[in-house]
Amino acid sequence: MEARMEGTAVAGGLFEVEELGERLWRIGDALGDLCYLVEGEREAALVDTLAGLGDVVSLARGLVGEKKQLRVLLTHCHPDHVGGAYFARECWVGSACAGAWNACERQGLELVAGMADEAGVPFGPRDGVRPVVRRVAEGTSFDLGGRTLAAVELPGHTADSVGYLCPELGILFSGDAVTPIMCLCFPESLGLDGWLATLHKMEKLSFERFWTGHHRHDFTNADLASFEEAAAFTRTDRGHSWHHMLVSDWEGTLHLCPCPTSDPDSCDFRAVITRGLPPVRTRQARRVRT
């Protein structure tokens, strides 16, 4: 579908809004994070909420109208997906664990608080007032009126990651469950076996495309094979040390998988970041004959 782009300022924050079809939007922030707004005849749902740099919830309400109930659905509890949920009264997520929100607030401050100060915009997690958390699990369904979003458990990136499948649109909103730079490096991440199980599960789901939290490209079921190949390569690759530029405790081992491009922003790029740093490489002294 052809997208119409426009910049929309709400509560001091700048968002990029794409209209992807009738009553369907993609919203991006300055960090390249993406979330999705799906409108039905009776209700609307915002899938993920960006990093909290400005009030994305008010933006979504403005797009669908104040009279429709807006549900906030989260794929997982990382700051680049949860930050904007602090502007909502309640949200739905795969885990209600208080510890996840504690980490989200601390990491969120490292991620964008400085940017919020510089731009003079509100930043959700700063005041620590959390939304009421509702729990979703496999099969939890939201009837928006003519459109349905069904929760699908997609563990790997986090143990409780979920996606939301809309059969009427043929779209799976998958969050970070499968991405060209696949992060399995967090304490809450599963290993390669858990992620592969999710890839195999997705192969059996009925959808035309899946949309991620950081790429505007449509991915399809056929793309899953290349992610499985990346997982297989990662098993035997030594990898390289990786540290996030802003969040101090985000680190791991980066595996650059064989692929047709070296551009990390390309939809064809494949890399996996696993937990823990690789062993330190030491240079062995040469033996000299005398």
Side-chain angles (χ1 to χ4, degrees):
M1 285 180 286
E2 185 176 348
R4 179 168 59 84
M5 303 287 296
E6 59 184 28
T8 305
V10 176
L14 184 65
F15 301 96
E16 189 176 51
V17 179
E18 289 179 84
E19 187 174 341
L20 301 174
E22 185 180 0
R23 299 178 296 154
L24 177 64
W25 296 267
R26 179 190 285 128
I27 305 170
D29 66 11
L31 295 173
D33 307 316
L34 301 173
C35 66
Y36 300 90
L37 177 61
V38 184
E39 183 183 5
E41 295 169 359
R42 295 189 308 274
E43 300 180 4
L46 181 64
V47 181
D48 284 335
T49 61
L50 311 178
L53 193 64
D55 187 353
V56 69
V57 175
S58 290
L59 169 61
R61 291 190 188 280
L63 290 170
V64 302
E66 294 289 339
K67 292 184 178 180
K68 284 189 176 178
Q69 179 180 356
L70 176 68
R71 296 187 183 272
V72 174
L73 312 180
L74 304 175
T75 59
H76 62 290
C77 206
H78 279 165
D80 51 341
H81 296 258
V82 171
Y86 287 81
F87 294 102
R89 289 187 296 272
E90 70 174 16
C91 64
W92 297 77
V93 68
S95 172
C97 175
W101 291 88
N102 293 338
C104 169
E105 288 159 8
R106 175 177 52 80
Q107 294 163 350
L109 287 170
E110 291 186 62
L111 193 64
V112 298
M115 185 182 300
D117 290 337
E118 184 177 347
V121 300
F123 176 54
R126 177 173 281 136
D127 61 11
V129 179
R130 299 170 183 170
V132 175
V133 175
R134 310 295 185 191
R135 191 74 177 266
V136 296
E138 183 82 18
T140 301
S141 184
F142 301 92
D143 184 355
L144 307 180
R147 288 177 177 174
T148 305
L149 289 175
V152 182
E153 294 177 354
L154 302 175
H157 179 66
T158 69
D160 53 13
S161 288
V162 297
Y164 297 92
L165 179 62
C166 183
E168 295 84 5
L169 295 172
I171 298 173
L172 174 65
F173 301 97
S174 58
D176 288 351
V178 185
T179 66
I181 303 178
M182 188 65 210
C183 292
L184 301 174
C185 52
F186 305 106
E188 60 272 20
S189 299
L190 300 183
L192 286 170
D193 287 341
W195 182 47
L196 271 171
T198 285
L199 292 175
H200 295 153
K201 178 179 182 177
M202 288 178 63
E203 286 177 334
K204 299 175 183 178
L205 295 177
S206 179
F207 59 83
E208 296 176 11
R209 52 213 163 132
F210 63 92
W211 287 351
T212 76
H214 299 282
H215 286 75
R216 298 178 185 275
H217 176 74
D218 288 6
F219 293 90
T220 69
N221 198 291
D223 291 309
L224 295 173
S226 64
F227 290 103
E228 293 176 8
E229 292 170 2
F233 173 82
T234 299
R235 289 192 186 280
T236 58
D237 179 59
R238 180 187 179 95
H240 305 272
S241 178
W242 173 85
H243 301 268
H244 193 272
M245 293 184 297
L246 298 175
V247 182
S248 59
D249 57 353
W250 284 359
E251 63 180 17
T253 298
L254 172 65
H255 306 271
L256 297 171
C257 307
C259 59
T261 178
S262 60
D263 179 6
D265 293 324
S266 169
C267 59
D268 296 318
F269 186 79
R270 297 290 180 267
V272 179
I273 305 175
T274 53
R275 187 184 301 137
L277 296 175
V280 177
R281 300 172 188 262
T282 58
R283 180 177 296 176
Q284 295 181 348
R286 293 181 179 178
R287 297 181 63 182
V288 180
R289 293 182 179 180
T290 57

